[in-house]
């Protein structure tokens, strides 16, 4: 295939990726967006196969078979609750791929058409070093995020004195090493740059707490895109440059939107200080021996059946219990009885952006019943029942009342303003951010202890 023809098909694939992003911006068009993305990727792979630069077909096919088998196995077995850590793992692989390509290009530059060892083109050295540095940061940062989400390490911020100073020093050293490598093309500078980047990625994500992890996942997605774009320049692959730029920019925009929705600074995300000012994690407002009011599924069914409006607030507990289908069945019965049922989604509910939207869509919840925080928050004051199912930190009033809390300043869903709050939870344990939720002790709150799916099924039986 000629270079002009390859460029033409790469252009079509790029358009498909752009249309995929456009489709994924709305639940109604997400399926079509996925189809565009799949079509663009198939076209990109086939076009790359047919370029004259590809000679080791058997090695590429072997890699596709191994990777495809592993991917298929994971896709068939993965639970929706594990999707966030799967995304983090994918990001780490993108970063690792960027590092490997950079290392290969530095070791055998003549195979990539960027010069010879000791005389690599200056622009290629810049692209190579930037791509590798961002890729290494993405790799170790994503591994830490995966470990936090998987529960292999604590979700609490891990901080120590002088952490920001160390990060700043490593950042300055990274810039100096890039300049040294571009100026001298020294192997020592290259490998030291790799080590510093790996360490920086680790230290940037370690101090970030679990409540802020959705924004971190989004930001790491952006990093992986920029790493791919940098390596695209090294490989002189226009499609990789375009695709990486699309992923990088869209991830950055999403991170900014989420930070704005959480009243946080985007710079804190980039610099690894997100939600950890002061270096401690507050335990939340003291509750002492205060008691809570608990109820049964029959109590909840009676309250909601006699209500005129119910707002459902889903959270990670719903995902863990896989309760979305039973929840939709409960909502359908209430709607048949004339009760208005809507869903309120916090931008960081779950463990990654859009986690709750995906689960509700899987249960065929109508899109027009699902509202974002800013669309529905003022309605809680006129709502009869707020049915909170597994959402903890995003409903915690400490975000408005406790300046020492790690979630202070984060906009929350004002469920406490509803006439009655039904809170489905396994126990009185704190949320992922490690903060006690004082909402449990409010006079208008009734705790429904138990598995979220089982509780919804019992409520359905009581309603019937």
């Amino acid at each position: 295939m000629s270079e002009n023809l390859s460029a033409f098909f790469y252009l079509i694939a790029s358009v498909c990726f752009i249309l995929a992003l456009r489709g994924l911006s709305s639940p109604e068009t997400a399926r079509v967006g996925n189809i565009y993305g799949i079509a663009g990727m198939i076209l990109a792979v086939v076009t790359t196969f047919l370029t004259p630069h590809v000679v080791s077909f058997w090695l590429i096919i072997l890699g596709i078979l191994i990777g495809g088998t592993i991917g298929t196995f994971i896709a068939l077995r993965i639970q929706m609750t594990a999707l966030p850590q799967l995304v983090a793992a994918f990001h780490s692989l993108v970063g690792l791929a960027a590092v490997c390509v950079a290392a290969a290009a530095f070791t055998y530059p003549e195979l990539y058409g960027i010069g010879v060892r000791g005389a690599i083109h200056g622009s290629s050295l810049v692209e190579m070093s930037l791509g590798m540095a961002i890729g290494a940061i993405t790799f170790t940062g994503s591994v830490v995020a995966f470990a936090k989400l998987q529960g292999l390490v604590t979700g609490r911020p891990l901080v120590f004195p002088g952490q920001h100073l160390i990060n700043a020093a490593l950042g300055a050293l990274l810039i100096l090493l890039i300049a040294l490598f571009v100026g001298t093309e020294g192997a020592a500078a290259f490998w030291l740059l790799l080590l510093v980047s790996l360490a920086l990625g680790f230290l940037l994500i370690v101090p970030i707490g679990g409540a802020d992890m959705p924004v971190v996942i989004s930001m790491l997605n952006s990093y992986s895109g920029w790493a791919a774009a940098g390596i695209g320049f090294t490989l002189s692959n226009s499609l990789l440059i375009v695709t990486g730029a699309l992923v990088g920019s869209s991830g950055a925009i999403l991170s900014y939107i989420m930070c704005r929705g959480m009243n946080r600074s985007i710079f804190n995300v980039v610099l690894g200080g997100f939600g950890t000012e002061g270096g401690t994690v507050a335990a939340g407002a003291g509750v002492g021996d205060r008691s809570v009011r608990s109820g049964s599924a029959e109590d909840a069914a009676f309250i909601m059946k006699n209500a005129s409006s119910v707002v459902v607030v889903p959270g990670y507990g719903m995902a863990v219990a896989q309760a979305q289908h039973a929840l939709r069945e409960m909502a359908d019965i209430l709607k048949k009885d004339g009760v208005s049922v809507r869903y309120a989604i916090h931008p960081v509910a779950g463990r990654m952006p859009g986690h709750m939207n995906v689960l509700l869509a899987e249960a065929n919840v109508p899109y027009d019943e699902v509202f974002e925080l800013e669309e529905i928050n003022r309605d809680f004051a006129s709502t009869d029942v707020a049915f909170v199912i597994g959402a903890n930190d995003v409903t915690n009033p400490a975000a408005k009342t406790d300046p020492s809390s790690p979630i202070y300043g984060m906009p929350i869903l004002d469920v406490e303003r509803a006439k009655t709050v039904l809170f489905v939870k396994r126990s009185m344990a704190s949320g992922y951010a490690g903060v006690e939720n004082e909402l449990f002790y409010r006079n208008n709150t009734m705790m429904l202890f138990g598995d979220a799916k089982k509780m919804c099924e019992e409520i359905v039986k009581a309603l019937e």
Side-chain angles (χ1 to χ4, degrees):
M1 183 181 293
S2 66
E3 290 189 6
N4 289 337
L5 194 57
S6 297
F8 173 73
F9 285 123
Y10 277 159
L11 177 61
I12 296 177
S14 299
V15 172
C16 287
F17 293 147
I18 294 172
L19 292 175
L21 282 178
R22 184 176 184 274
L24 292 173
S25 64
S26 170
E28 290 89 345
T29 58
R31 293 182 186 274
V32 176
N34 271 317
I35 293 174
Y36 276 122
I38 293 171
M41 186 56 66
I42 292 175
L43 181 59
V45 171
V46 172
T47 301
T48 303
F49 251 105
L50 298 179
T51 56
H53 305 293
V54 177
V55 292
S56 301
F57 289 100
W58 68 270
L59 193 59
I60 297 175
I61 293 174
L62 180 62
I64 291 176
L65 289 176
I66 294 174
T69 301
I70 295 174
T72 301
F73 177 78
I74 293 175
L76 292 175
R77 294 179 61 88
I78 195 71
Q79 297 293 324
M80 288 298 296
T81 51
L83 193 59
Q85 48 263 51
L86 178 65
V87 172
F90 284 163
H91 291 163
S92 72
L93 294 178
V94 175
L96 182 60
V99 171
C100 291
V101 171
F106 175 67
T107 307
Y108 303 103
E110 61 277 0
L111 299 180
Y112 293 84
I114 58 175
V116 296
R117 189 68 181 270
I120 300 177
H121 303 156
S123 59
S124 296
L125 292 174
V126 175
E127 298 154 1
M128 185 190 309
S129 57
L130 287 174
M132 184 188 69
I134 299 174
I137 292 172
T138 303
F139 172 67
T140 49
S142 298
V143 169
V144 173
F146 171 84
K148 283 176 174 280
L149 291 166
Q150 189 67 18
L152 302 179
V153 299
T154 179
R156 293 172 179 253
L158 300 176
V159 297
F160 54 85
Q163 193 165 42
H164 292 298
L165 185 61
I166 293 175
N167 287 347
L170 287 176
L173 179 59
L174 187 145
I175 295 173
L176 289 175
L177 287 172
I178 290 177
L180 180 63
F181 172 68
V182 173
T184 65
E185 199 182 317
F190 180 85
W191 298 114
L192 186 56
L193 173 62
L194 174 59
L195 292 177
V196 170
S197 300
L198 291 171
L200 187 59
F202 175 82
L203 292 174
L204 284 175
I205 306 302
V206 159
I208 299 177
D212 303 322
M213 198 52 64
V215 187
V216 175
I217 293 295
S218 176
M219 202 68 220
L220 288 170
N221 177 56
S222 178
Y223 289 168
S224 69
W226 296 123
I231 295 304
F233 281 104
T234 300
L235 298 177
S236 299
N237 188 305
S238 59
L239 181 61
L240 190 55
I241 296 171
V242 172
T243 305
L246 285 173
V247 174
S249 57
S250 60
I253 292 171
L254 177 58
S255 299
Y256 172 76
I257 292 173
M258 294 184 70
C259 286
R260 187 177 61 183
M262 296 174 66
N263 194 29
R264 305 287 194 178
S265 168
I266 185 68
F267 295 105
N268 282 345
V269 185
V270 178
L271 299 177
F274 194 44
T276 60
E277 297 300 326
T280 60
V281 178
V287 295
D289 296 326
R290 293 162 60 187
S291 60
V292 299
R293 183 166 62 108
S294 63
S296 64
E298 290 74 17
D299 296 327
F302 177 81
I303 292 172
M304 286 192 288
K305 193 166 187 177
N306 288 278
S308 60
S309 59
V310 173
V311 174
V312 179
V313 180
Y316 190 64
M318 181 190 76
V320 172
Q322 291 289 287
Q324 60 270 25
H325 297 283
L327 177 65
R328 193 215 65 200
E329 186 179 359
M330 181 192 81
D332 288 344
I333 295 175
L334 289 173
K335 287 188 290 185
K336 287 180 181 178
D337 290 337
V339 181
S340 169
V341 180
R342 293 179 294 170
Y343 299 80
I345 306 294
H346 193 282
V348 295
R351 295 293 184 271
M352 71 176 189
H355 199 183
M356 294 301 104
N357 301 76
V358 172
L359 290 172
L360 294 179
E362 183 190 24
N364 294 318
V365 172
Y367 298 132
D368 58 359
E369 294 179 5
V370 180
F371 297 87
E372 300 294 335
L373 178 147
E374 64 274 5
E375 297 175 314
I376 200 171
N377 223 15
R378 66 182 62 185
D379 294 347
F380 280 108
S382 57
T383 297
D384 291 326
V385 179
F387 186 81
V388 184
I389 177 168
N392 199 332
D393 297 322
V394 298
T395 63
N396 194 338
K400 299 185 293 184
T401 61
D402 186 1
S404 66
S405 172
I407 63 173
Y408 182 71
M410 180 181 79
I412 62 167
L413 290 163
D414 295 327
V415 297
E416 77 274 11
R417 300 176 63 191
K419 294 179 182 178
T420 301
V421 179
L422 300 177
F423 212 115
V424 181
K425 205 172 185 296
R426 288 180 179 270
S427 67
M428 291 291 291
S430 60
Y432 197 61
V435 182
E436 188 86 53
N437 194 340
E438 62 182 75
L439 180 61
F440 300 162
Y441 306 91
R442 297 288 178 92
N443 293 329
N444 63 331
T445 299
M446 175 182 287
M447 301 298 296
L448 304 174
F449 292 113
D451 177 81
K453 181 179 180 181
K454 185 177 179 180
M455 180 61 67
C456 287
E457 290 173 345
E458 291 177 353
I459 293 175
V460 167
K461 290 179 181 178
L463 288 172
E464 291 176 336

